[in-house]
Amino acid sequence: MDERLLGPPPPGGGRGGLGLVGAEPGGPGEPPGGGDPGGGSGGVPGGRGKQDIGDILQQIMTITDQSLDEAQAKKHALNCHRMKPALFSVLCEIKEKTGLSIRSSQEEEPVDPQLMRLDNMLLAEGVAGPEKGGGSAAAAAAAAASGGGVSPDNSIEHSDYRSKLAQIRHIYHSELEKYEQACNEFTTHVMNLLREQSRTRPVAPKEMERMVSIIHRKFSAIQMQLKQSTCEAVMILRSRFLDARRKRRNFSKQATEVLNEYFYSHLSSPYPSEEAKEELAKKCGITVSQVSNWFGNKRIRYKKNIGKFQEEANIYAVKTAVSVAQGGHSRTSSPTPPSSAGSGGSFNLSGSGDMFLGMPGLNGDSYPASQVESLRHSMGPGSYGDNIGGGQIYSPREIRANGGWQEAVTPSSVTSPTEGPGSVHSDTSN
DNA sequence: GAGCATGATTCCGC
DNA sequence: GCGGAATCATGCTC
């Protein structure tokens, strides 16, 4: 404790109080030199100075017991007292030393891991930080996750996603700006208050800094809530976007036709190569993954219920046959053959040997002999042989007992004309 | 709204 | 990693 402050209070103290009021330096009614408690020396050299300080302290201690007017008058006197700066300085020093009111702000502000996570996420999503196309990276990543190319539908969804993300970004930044503005205003307000208060009580610069840091902490807590809300909004948007991608949409008729044509023209081995998948995907306006899905589903469902697909198979067989007869290539002849297909796997019928066609159409009409003949040539001997004219116009490939696909290359594997449509040789048939 | 069709996803085996 | 199988979820038709 500073000795200067611990001087014994003047006996009777009341005199000092009155003296203090009258001791206003340069104040009205101040007798030159007479009311100066510390004399002209400007310091506290002797017992008188100590007594003055004691008087001041006594005044301060008793000010609450006095009437408002009296207290105001004393307060004013204290404010104007020439010893006030020195006293305040000492008090500030004591406050700093005791460390009660001023704690290290750094100790209280470890980097919040949650805030870090939120910041990182907002940065990654393109909400915080410099604008990078409104989260197009995230949208692209999501598109990649969907597996494969980007369909026109996807681009629409991406733009929708981007615009929604841009909205979130806009709201986030405007709110952040508001918070910062409010924080600055409040800080200024508090600083003014403290400056005002510093006239009546000792306010150390460090105390002011601490107040500012407290205000910033409070506002950063609010900002964290904002960041949390923004993250939640992004998450919701993202999940909705992903859900939208997950939403099933039937392929176009033309796409299904292309896929079916390939499937039925490669029935012996309906496993398109990567190149074929890409080609099909391009033709159908879908992704390679969707092509894979489609073939996966088709194989299984075909195998499970060959009878049901009989008619469909006939239709595509006829279509292919006609196109072969007309030009030797089907409409969808471009995809490259699957490497695994023993048939040669080309998209066109010729050489594929996958089709076993009876020439009567589904409605019983027969195809012109010229077409039949051309098919005979294109498919080679033994492809459909004597089955032309039979009740069965199409025979599905046999499916091996172990569930695999078996290319039926001999007429023996062709469904007997005596068997009804849908009668198949399959362990997995219904 | 029920039932079926169909694209997508998941799990599992190879 | 690919394909088979089961399953889910949605679209479509009646």
Side-chain angles (χ1 to χ4, degrees):
Chain A
M1 247 329 171
D2 199 306
E3 215 178 88
R4 291 168 294 181
L5 295 171
L6 297 178
R15 156 72 187 83
L18 291 172
L20 182 71
V21 173
E24 205 169 319
E30 164 83 8
D36 190 345
S41 62
V44 195
R48 193 183 165 203
K50 280 188 180 176
Q51 189 179 347
D52 282 342
I53 297 288
D55 285 349
I56 294 169
L57 290 173
Q58 188 65 26
Q59 295 283 321
I60 293 168
M61 297 297 285
T62 56
I63 202 164
T64 52
D65 300 330
Q66 294 164 355
S67 70
L68 194 63
D69 288 342
E70 211 175 351
Q72 284 288 350
K74 279 191 179 172
K75 194 177 111 183
H76 181 67
L78 282 167
N79 276 340
C80 302
H81 197 278
R82 70 182 185 83
M83 291 298 289
K84 184 193 147 191
L87 180 63
F88 272 30
S89 152
V90 171
L91 288 172
C92 285
E93 202 178 313
I94 292 166
K95 281 173 86 173
E96 276 185 44
K97 277 182 182 169
T98 55
L100 288 174
S101 56
I102 302 170
R103 281 167 291 179
S104 169
S105 58
Q106 284 177 341
E107 281 173 18
E108 292 173 10
E109 286 187 277
V111 183
D112 188 347
Q114 197 188 350
L115 189 63
M116 270 182 69
R117 277 200 299 275
L118 289 170
D119 281 337
N120 286 339
M121 187 196 156
L122 290 172
L123 269 172
E125 291 295 334
V127 175
E131 195 157 9
K132 290 179 288 186
S136 56
S146 75
V150 177
S151 70
D153 282 348
N154 267 354
S155 356
I156 292 164
E157 282 162 7
H158 290 173
S159 67
D160 197 33
Y161 178 81
R162 276 198 294 272
S163 73
K164 292 241 164 37
L165 198 70
Q167 274 181 25
I168 291 174
R169 183 187 162 86
H170 176 71
I171 292 167
Y172 170 75
H173 282 287
S174 74
E175 289 297 314
L176 204 63
E177 208 173 312
K178 278 184 204 166
Y179 283 140
E180 274 166 10
Q181 199 181 339
C183 180
N184 287 337
E185 280 174 13
F186 191 69
T187 306
T188 311
H189 178 68
V190 170
M191 290 294 282
N192 286 338
L193 276 177
L194 285 174
R195 275 192 209 104
E196 187 70 25
Q197 284 185 5
S198 69
R199 290 170 56 193
T200 54
R201 72 180 181 93
V203 179
K206 276 192 179 176
E207 201 176 340
M208 286 179 131
E209 281 172 26
R210 183 176 159 259
M211 283 307 282
V212 170
S213 81
I214 287 172
I215 293 166
H216 284 175
R217 263 208 307 281
K218 295 284 178 198
F219 272 88
S220 80
I222 298 171
Q223 279 188 7
M224 193 154 96
Q225 284 182 357
L226 171 70
K227 285 175 182 176
Q228 261 177 338
S229 302
T230 309
C231 279
E232 279 170 21
V234 172
M235 285 288 105
I236 289 166
L237 176 69
R238 227 179 142 81
S239 72
R240 275 188 192 161
F241 175 68
L242 290 171
D243 283 349
R245 283 189 300 109
R246 187 192 168 105
K247 232 178 181 179
R248 191 177 70 77
R249 281 180 197 158
N250 288 344
F251 297 157
S252 69
K253 217 172 175 183
Q254 186 255 339
T256 313
E257 236 169 73
V258 170
L259 294 166
N260 271 318
E261 270 187 45
Y262 187 95
F263 181 81
Y264 288 112
S265 64
H266 295 80
L267 250 189
S268 63
S269 181
Y271 300 90
S273 64
E274 269 312 301
E275 293 79 21
K277 281 181 190 171
E278 280 169 22
E279 191 68 33
L280 286 166
K282 210 186 284 179
K283 274 178 177 294
C284 301
I286 57 178
T287 67
V288 173
S289 298
Q290 285 177 306
V291 172
S292 297
N293 284 340
W294 189 91
F295 273 89
N297 286 325
K298 188 75 180 177
R299 281 191 296 266
I300 297 221
R301 285 161 186 165
Y302 176 84
K303 207 156 80 168
K304 273 186 177 174
N305 197 347
I306 293 176
K308 202 182 79 181
F309 289 98
Q310 193 80 31
E311 196 178 334
E312 188 178 72
N314 288 336
I315 292 167
Y316 285 102
V318 167
K319 270 186 186 175
T320 315
V322 169
S323 58
V324 166
Q326 284 173 348
H329 295 278
S330 74
R331 289 188 289 123
T332 53
S333 59
S334 43
T336 54
S339 53
S340 61
S343 62
S346 66
F347 215 173
N348 55 359
L349 183 61
S350 58
S352 74
D354 284 345
M355 293 296 179
F356 290 81
L357 298 168
M359 285 304 104
L362 294 171
N363 54 6
D365 295 340
S366 293
Y367 288 95
S370 59
Q371 281 189 15
V372 177
E373 199 55 36
S374 69
L375 277 169
R376 275 183 191 278
H377 288 306
S378 65
M379 299 181 75
S383 290
Y384 52 90
D386 299 331
N387 284 306
I388 295 173
Q392 177 75 12
I393 64 166
Y394 168 79
S395 168
R397 285 291 162 278
E398 281 192 0
I399 294 163
R400 286 196 298 259
N402 64 4
W405 293 85
Q406 179 184 355
E407 185 177 9
V409 290
T410 61
S412 63
S413 67
V414 176
T415 306
S416 161
T418 56
E419 290 176 345
S423 168
V424 292
H425 303 286
S426 167
D427 294 338
T428 55
S429 65
N430 296 336

